[in-house]
Every structure is written in C-alpha cells, then in structure tokens.
Amino acid sequence: MKYKKLWTDMHSNIHHEQMEALPMWYEQIKKEMDFWPIAYYPFYMRPTEYGLAVEDRYGDEEIAGDWEAVKQLAKKAEAEGFPMFIGYEWQGAGLDGDHNVFFLENDGEQKHPMRYEELAACFKGQKVIGIPHHLAYQPGSRGKNWDTHDETFSPFAEIYSSHGSSENDDGPFGMERHVHMGPRTGETTYEKGLNRGIKVGVIAAGDNHSVPGVFGHGSMCALAEDNTKEAIWDAFEKRRTYGVSKSRIEVDYTVNGVPMGGEVETDGDVELEFQIKGTGAVDRIEILRDNVLEEMVVHSGTWERNRPEGMVRFKFFLELGWGPDVRVYKDQWLKEWTGRLEVNGKLLGVEKCWSNYGQDITHQDETSCDFSMTTYQSTATGKWMGPSNVTTEGFIFEVETGTDDTMKLTIDGMEYELSVREMFEGTKVYALWDEVKKLTRETWGDITHYRDDPWWHNAYKFRVGKAYPASSYEVSYKTKLKMERDGNLRLRIWQKNGDAAWTSPVFVTVKK
C-alpha cells in the first residue's frame, strides 16, 4: 500500500502562562504541518520557602481551565477538517522518564500518578498513547526507564529533539543544550531499548516551548492511509513513523514488503528495499541490524561528475536573515521581508523552513512563489526554555527548468537574476548594502574604515544555496539479507549538509 506522508511537530509544549497565545500556535502549525498533537505543559517553577524554585505542577483549577481550552480548540480544528490530538506532558516522580500523553478522542482527562506503570494502567484499553522523550538522560533523573516500558502504551519514542539525540551515547547531536538535565548517558538510550528486545518505533519532535514547529528541532512523519485522525492513529499504533533532524527527507522503507514499524516472520532470508528523496544531496544510508551497521549505501560520488545539461530537476535552499549586532543597533532585532521567486520552467515544490511567527506564502502557482518573512536577532521570548537565537527563515524550492535558464528572485523590491548553471557551482550570499549603509550613516554618521567590517557584519543577508540535481537526492536500493536470529532492521540517512533521518525498525522473527 502507498501511504501518505503526513508531517508534524509532536512535541509542542504550551504553558499555562501562554494560553492566550493558543490560537496563534494553532494558526502557525496549520501553516506548516499536516496535523497536530499538542502537548500541554502543566508545570512551572514554583518558589519555595528556601528561595530555590523547583519544577512542580500547577494546581488542579489552573490545569482544568487550560485543558478545557485545549479541548475546545481540538473540536474547532475537527470542525475545520484539521486533524488535532489533545495531549499533555507527564513527568511523575522522574524515575521513569518524561512522556507526552495523547488521546484519539477530544474528551480525554489528564492523569498524574507518580510512576509510568500506573500511568499506563490508567489508560489501559483506551485510545491513548504515552511517548517518551529525551531518553538518554540519567536513569532516575528524568531519563527513560526501559524496565517499566509498555509497548502498547508507548509504541514509539523520540530519538531526536531540541535536546539532541537519544539514539546512543557516542553518536552526533549530543544532548548539550539543556546543561541542567545532562550530560547524556549510555544507560537509557533508544538503542538500549532495542537491545532488550523491546519493539519501539521512532520519531523526532521539537520539544518546543515558545513556537511550535521550529525548523532544526526535529519533526516526525506518519505514514497513513489518509489524513483522518483515525488513519493517523493507526500509523501511531503500528509504528509507521520516522523522524528527521531538520528538513523533510522522504523515506519509503520495507522488509519483505512490510513497512517500517511492522513485523516480519521469515525462514532467514529477507529482502530490504528503500526509496529516498532528500532535500539536498544524500551522502549515505546506513542499514542497521540490531543497532550495528550491516551495510552502508554510499551515494556521494555517484552523481557529481555528471554535469547537468538541458532540462533538469533540482532543489536549493533560500535563507533570509542575519543582520545588525543588537548590541550596536539596539532597535534592529526584527526585520520584515517580502520576496518572489519566478522560474521559466516549473516550480514543483516548496518546503517551509520556518522557526518563528511572521512567515507566509502569499501566492504560489506552477511558475512563481510570493512570500513575506520575519527574521529575528534574538530569542523569541527570552523565557527559560525558549529556543536558541533565531536568525534565519527560508524555503527549500524544487524546480524544473533548463540549465541555461535564469530565475528571478525579488527581495524587498530589488531583482536578482539567478543563473541556474552558476547555482550548480555553489552557494552565493547577497547583502542588503543600501540598507546597512543607510543605517550606519543615520546612526554613526559618514564613517570610514579600511575594510568593510562595519557594514558587512551588520548587513541583513540572504543566501541562495547550491543547486542539487535530482540524481543527488533520489536514491533507490534493494538488497537481500540473511537473518540467523530474531532482530530488527532500520535505516539512518545522512545528507551532505548534516541533516539526518531515522526510520522505525522492522522487527524480524526467524522461524525455528
């Protein structure tokens, strides 16, 4: 069966003090994602008599009011045809790891027992799931406790988020952002769960507390028959999910025709097949058997010597942002942009690479895209779990046109001719020179310097990324493997730019 790929941020934590922004969160996620499982965050830093603030749950009255607002929004979303799942974060005593609890129906009620096994028991037989996140923290101190794991209640886990990667303890994307919770340990990783024979799939998700759907904090894809809540829930229960660290790498993966997350019984031989459509050049695909590299499919080196000619399909990344040092230009913390891309051939697709409010596609057709963007020079809110500095927003465009053609990019009313042939040679950065010179003159007068640092360092810029032909980002592969014992097979995909994707495993049983 050919499944739809539906994308979301499955870890958007809205707090009690942010509830007035709930409609804004909803409008933002609808612009970016195909569905939304919200994760209401009922915790805050409670002052104590000692002066030390500790994280604790809000009172029942505050939570009840917020929860009702979440339910009402879900009902509104359902009436509008947008799939939304109500959910909340559960932490308990910290002994089993943090989990987000989601409901298929819009009438679920929160439960907050101290232990995970009690939590799972509260919802036994109901359409409720509890998804563990930031697994690889210290056991007993909010890291995942695989001893108490329930495969039915928790069909998959977050392998990556803004915290970093919990896949293992020696791979990239270390958990270094939230230093108060780290460092990462090897005792609680995702791979430890698999090594124990636990059938658990994977997603990536933002763990975003200020803006939902932050680009670069991870997102998940559900392989569903359609975009109804019931079909998406079926994908959840059957572990037809995968995660990406940043851009939306498309992955189709089967073992003996069974998609990711499924179970296969075999006499020993299995046929593994995948198709990848990246967002830029794919570097390699790692086939992992029981967390050990079984085979590496290296794609780098297979396409670079074939110079694109004639009509060609390609992708490129457009980023806007950067700008003045706010310590020097204190009022330059936000910039609003307008833009338009026009192509002679076809505009095949646009991926939104957004991290904050203020982004929009105002018009899109087969040959053009009009957009308005807002970039920021500092954190979105300054709150204690706010995102890192957000300085760029952008798009990944897929285009089909001739190699000798040019595309026209208009930024803030100024036109730039983009030679397709030159785009295949490399990335180019453009500065808004007139704007920064005007700003410098109005602030400091007619200054001079023997190099352009005062202007270049403070200029708003946009970057037109290198164009990658379809041969660089599309990979198909099929192989046969011998399974001598029960195990699992999964993929880890890397692009040249460092973007990664992780699939849920296929779990293989070998007949005795």
Side-chain angles (χ1 to χ4, degrees), residues 145-166:
N145 182 354
W146 291 111
D147 287 339
T148 60
H149 188 78
D150 183 319
E151 290 179 3
T152 301
F153 183 58
S154 302
F156 50 87
E158 279 184 25
I159 201 169
Y160 174 88
S161 73
S162 61
H163 286 256
S165 173
S166 289

Side-chain angles (χ1 to χ4, degrees), residues 54-75:
V54 296
E55 191 170 28
D56 204 348
R57 226 172 1 107
Y58 274 105
D60 292 342
E61 186 175 342
E62 289 93 340
I63 292 174
D66 295 344
W67 190 235
E68 183 60 30
V70 170
K71 288 181 180 180
Q72 291 304 316
L73 178 60
K75 292 174 182 176

Side-chain angles (χ1 to χ4, degrees), residues 53 192 314 338 351 414 484:
K192 287 294 186 185
F314 63 92
T338 59
E351 179 179 339
M414 183 168 289
E484 297 179 350

Side-chain angles (χ1 to χ4, degrees), residues 7 32 215 219 244 246-250 277-280 315-318 347-354 361 364 369 373 393-398 495 499:
W7 294 90
E32 294 186 70
F215 183 68
S219 57
V244 297
K246 205 167 188 179
S247 58
R248 295 182 181 182
I249 302 169
E250 296 183 32
K277 184 178 181 181
T279 58
K315 290 188 178 187
F316 73 97
F317 189 14
L318 172 67
L347 179 59
L348 300 175
V350 182
E351 179 179 339
K352 302 163 184 173
C353 306
W354 299 347
I361 292 177
Q364 182 181 336
C369 178
M373 310 290 280
E393 305 285 344
F395 303 94
I396 297 172
F397 294 106
E398 185 172 26
Q495 294 193 158
D499 289 13

